[in-house]
Amino acid sequence: RYGVNLMPLGGHYDLQGNFPRERWMENCRRMCEMLRSLGHIVFIAHDQAEHTFMTSFALPSERVAHSGNWREYLDLYAGCTVLAANRVHGAVCAAGFGVPSLIMGNDTRARIGEYIGLQVTSAEEMSANDIAERMSEMLRTRGEQHCRLLAKRDATMERYLAAVTPILASIQ
């Protein structure tokens, strides 16, 4: 299933004051139509504004998931085949489960994804065709990307433990 997280401003804020809302809405609508032709969509909303926004794109048979419990998002992200998201932490979370992800951001925080090898694009400049093509490519290479992301997660955990273990041992 294709995980999709969309925010009304392509991110948390309109930092420049000129985000093209109408073009963004149309690109989101077209992107969802294209993704439906590739597979099942699940919309993942983190707040009421996102839920309302994504409900306008969802078909009656499609789920727009929203919860007040952050732990429920772990299962949602882990269950995605691939993910396209405005929320950086959602994409990073999914990547931790080995889910190839695309971050569509509107500020420099989106570049966090580059450090772990996620695709990053500008929400303002994205095209629905480009997103659908990227999602198709992520699906095609999913097995390879899944293994790469899990290996990166495991290596990061090993480095973290190596760094904190001596500190924790010195406290006792």
Side-chain angles (χ1 to χ4, degrees):
R1 71 183 175 186
Y2 287 84
V4 175
N5 166 258
L6 301 170
M7 300 171 81
L9 296 174
H12 290 282
Y13 310 104
D14 181 0
L15 297 174
Q16 304 298 323
N18 59 354
F19 187 77
R21 292 176 192 222
E22 287 75 29
R23 188 172 81 216
W24 172 244
M25 291 276 295
E26 179 59 20
N27 273 331
C28 290
R29 185 191 61 74
R30 288 186 54 236
M31 177 187 71
C32 291
E33 289 173 1
M34 290 176 183
L35 292 179
R36 278 186 196 101
S37 71
L38 300 172
H40 177 73
I41 296 176
V42 62
F43 294 91
I44 304 171
H46 287 254
D47 60 29
Q48 190 57 50
E50 288 176 27
H51 185 271
T52 301
F53 185 69
M54 287 186 280
T55 297
S56 69
F57 304 114
L59 298 178
S61 62
E62 293 172 332
R63 181 178 181 199
V64 182
H66 177 242
S67 175
N69 180 353
W70 64 269
R71 286 185 167 93
E72 291 181 29
Y73 289 97
L74 299 177
D75 290 334
L76 286 168
Y77 285 121
C80 293
T81 305
V82 293
L83 174 73
N86 287 138
R87 286 199 177 255
V88 173
H89 71 270
V92 171
C93 175
F97 290 112
V99 176
S101 301
L102 166 67
I103 299 172
M104 303 171 292
N106 70 356
D107 63 44
T108 57
R109 290 177 296 168
R111 296 191 66 198
I112 291 169
E114 294 172 357
Y115 292 103
I116 54 177
L118 300 182
Q119 293 189 43
V120 176
T121 191
S122 165
E124 185 174 343
E125 297 171 9
M126 73 158 239
S127 75
N129 290 338
D130 181 46
I131 299 306
E133 286 175 18
R134 288 179 186 220
M135 296 290 278
S136 290
E137 177 65 15
M138 287 191 307
L139 186 60
R140 189 183 69 71
T141 61
R142 186 185 190 287
E144 173 188 322
Q145 294 300 317
H146 178 78
C147 291
R148 181 188 63 78
L149 290 166
L150 292 180
K152 184 171 278 292
R153 178 199 66 193
D154 294 345
T156 300
M157 183 59 78
E158 287 176 22
R159 284 194 313 272
Y160 177 78
L161 289 173
V164 300
T165 298
I167 295 167
L168 295 174
S170 71
I171 295 173
Q172 295 177 344

